[in-house]
Amino acid sequence: MVPYFQANPGISAAEAAVELGVTTKQLMTDLNQLWMCGLPGYGPGDLIDLSFSEESIEVTFSAGIDRPLRLTSPEATALLVALRSIADLPGMVDPSAAHAAIAKIESAISGRKFEGPTQPVPVAAPSVATVRSALENVHALRLVYYSASRDEVSERVVDPIRIVLVDNNSYLQAWCRQAEGVRLFRLDRIEEATELDEPARPPADATDESAALDLFVDDPAVPLARLLIRPDYAWVVDQYPMHRVTTHPDGSVEATMRFATLDWMARLLLGFGAGVTVLGPPELVAAVRDRSGTALAAYAELAADGVLQTPGFEEVGPA
């Protein structure tokens, strides 16, 4: 931008926006950011200085940026890796823009003329495109959302705040009017999204970047499981939203984890087999015991009928 405005002193924001392929609003935002760019030291004599309004834009001090900068080979490679990574994450960037940037960088590295992306550009899912549009237009959204923790589909109206990346998954951070709190909605679990005509109005304190980035907020109203994890299953603590309480001399770990429904938590814990023991609450202990008892009884019945007996192998009975 700096070399462009040096070559076109006094150009209006509207004219520059058309030539640069952005909106006037985006251009003015980018110009405001230039105030913070410059040389190390970042004192008044090091930062880029410019005079601009929608009628006229002029660079008064370029801080040495008199021509477009060229990427070195390592810089270009690092940028390509980063672009490809975020381009595959739904909602993080516009796929067409990301792949166009990738194609331009590849063309610059190879020295060939840029003629557009050489590979088909993936199209964002309709629900993801709607979420991005609502964020851009600052509109409320109506979502049909599948909650994995509750194993149910719900419909709600939210005020979108931003898209965030948590544990390599893209989430919409929004104020949920139904829950009256900030919630994270995983983009690939949004079954339908409808952009509403009404503006999004999340409370001022809900827009803080750290608000509700924990997928399982420590809400006393949500049941808390107490678990004893065997030493060779200690990896579970790092893979699930658990809080380590204590580590015993034998290496076993006592931890807690909040959960939405008994059925979902019981299914999760049964998958760990003997690696995780439920200490509480009593209703979760009973649910796991009942499910495991039913499973063992089914295996015993199949073994008794010879269904699990295979030639060359011992008959499989209850564990």
Side-chain angles (χ1 to χ4, degrees):
M1 289 177 62
V2 174
Y4 171 81
F5 287 116
Q6 283 186 298
N8 298 275
I11 190 172
S12 70
E15 292 174 309
V18 171
E19 290 197 21
L20 294 173
V22 297
T23 63
T24 301
K25 179 182 177 181
Q26 181 63 55
L27 177 64
M28 299 303 286
T29 299
D30 292 342
L31 287 171
N32 272 304
Q33 290 180 341
L34 277 177
W35 291 107
M36 305 305 296
C37 300
L39 300 172
Y42 306 108
D46 304 316
L47 296 175
I48 292 171
D49 197 7
L50 60 156
S51 171
F52 68 94
S53 65
E54 292 199 1
E55 289 73 33
S56 175
I57 303 169
E58 187 168 353
V59 175
T60 55
F61 178 64
S62 67
I65 304 180
D66 299 319
R67 59 180 176 78
L69 300 179
R70 296 187 180 278
L71 296 172
T72 65
S73 180
E75 289 171 339
T77 301
L79 189 56
L80 283 173
V81 170
L83 278 170
R84 289 195 177 105
S85 297
I86 63 174
D88 293 335
L89 295 170
M92 295 306 296
V93 294
D94 180 353
S96 60
H99 283 271
I102 289 171
K104 287 180 181 179
I105 295 171
E106 291 175 337
S107 298
I109 293 174
S110 64
R112 71 175 186 270
K113 182 180 178 182
F114 174 67
E115 297 179 351
T118 57
Q119 301 293 329
V121 177
V123 179
S127 59
V128 174
T130 301
V131 168
R132 289 181 59 84
S133 174
L135 279 166
E136 183 177 346
N137 298 322
V138 197
H139 284 170
L141 279 166
R142 177 175 286 107
L143 302 180
V144 176
Y145 184 73
Y146 169 69
S147 174
S149 62
R150 293 181 172 83
D151 193 23
E152 66 181 20
V153 176
S154 62
E155 183 174 331
R156 62 189 77 197
V157 175
V158 303
D159 298 297
I161 298 171
R162 61 177 64 86
I163 292 175
V164 295
L165 183 65
V166 181
D167 293 337
N168 293 321
N169 288 303
S170 305
Y171 291 84
L172 169 66
Q173 184 182 4
W175 175 263
C176 177
R177 298 182 183 179
Q178 177 179 322
E180 296 186 343
V182 179
R183 295 292 184 268
L184 293 179
F185 301 94
R186 191 162 141 175
L187 292 187
D188 59 359
R189 291 178 181 162
I190 297 177
E191 297 189 355
E192 293 180 25
T194 305
E195 183 175 352
L196 305 179
D197 291 333
E198 59 183 289
R201 293 194 182 94
D205 58 347
T207 59
D208 183 78
E209 290 193 8
S210 63
L213 289 186
D214 184 357
L215 298 184
F216 289 79
V217 179
D218 198 21
D219 183 354
V222 179
L224 183 69
R226 292 187 299 108
L227 311 171
L228 181 63
I229 302 166
R230 222 168 56 187
D232 53 333
Y233 275 72
W235 56 268
V236 169
V237 180
D238 297 322
Q239 295 294 320
Y240 292 86
M242 296 182 180
H243 296 280
R244 189 187 299 261
V245 176
T246 186
T247 301
H248 297 290
D250 63 352
S252 61
V253 177
E254 199 168 322
T256 61
M257 176 178 172
R258 296 210 176 264
F259 60 96
T261 65
L262 273 177
D263 285 345
W264 181 87
M265 193 63 180
R267 289 199 306 270
L268 175 69
L269 294 173
L270 283 171
F272 297 133
V276 179
T277 301
V278 185
L279 303 178
E283 57 269 24
L284 180 60
V285 174
V288 172
R289 183 185 294 116
D290 290 346
R291 280 175 174 264
S292 58
T294 301
L296 289 173
Y299 275 111
E301 183 177 345
L302 290 172
D305 293 341
V307 175
L308 295 183
Q309 187 173 7
T310 305
F313 294 91
E314 292 184 5
E315 183 176 337
V316 178

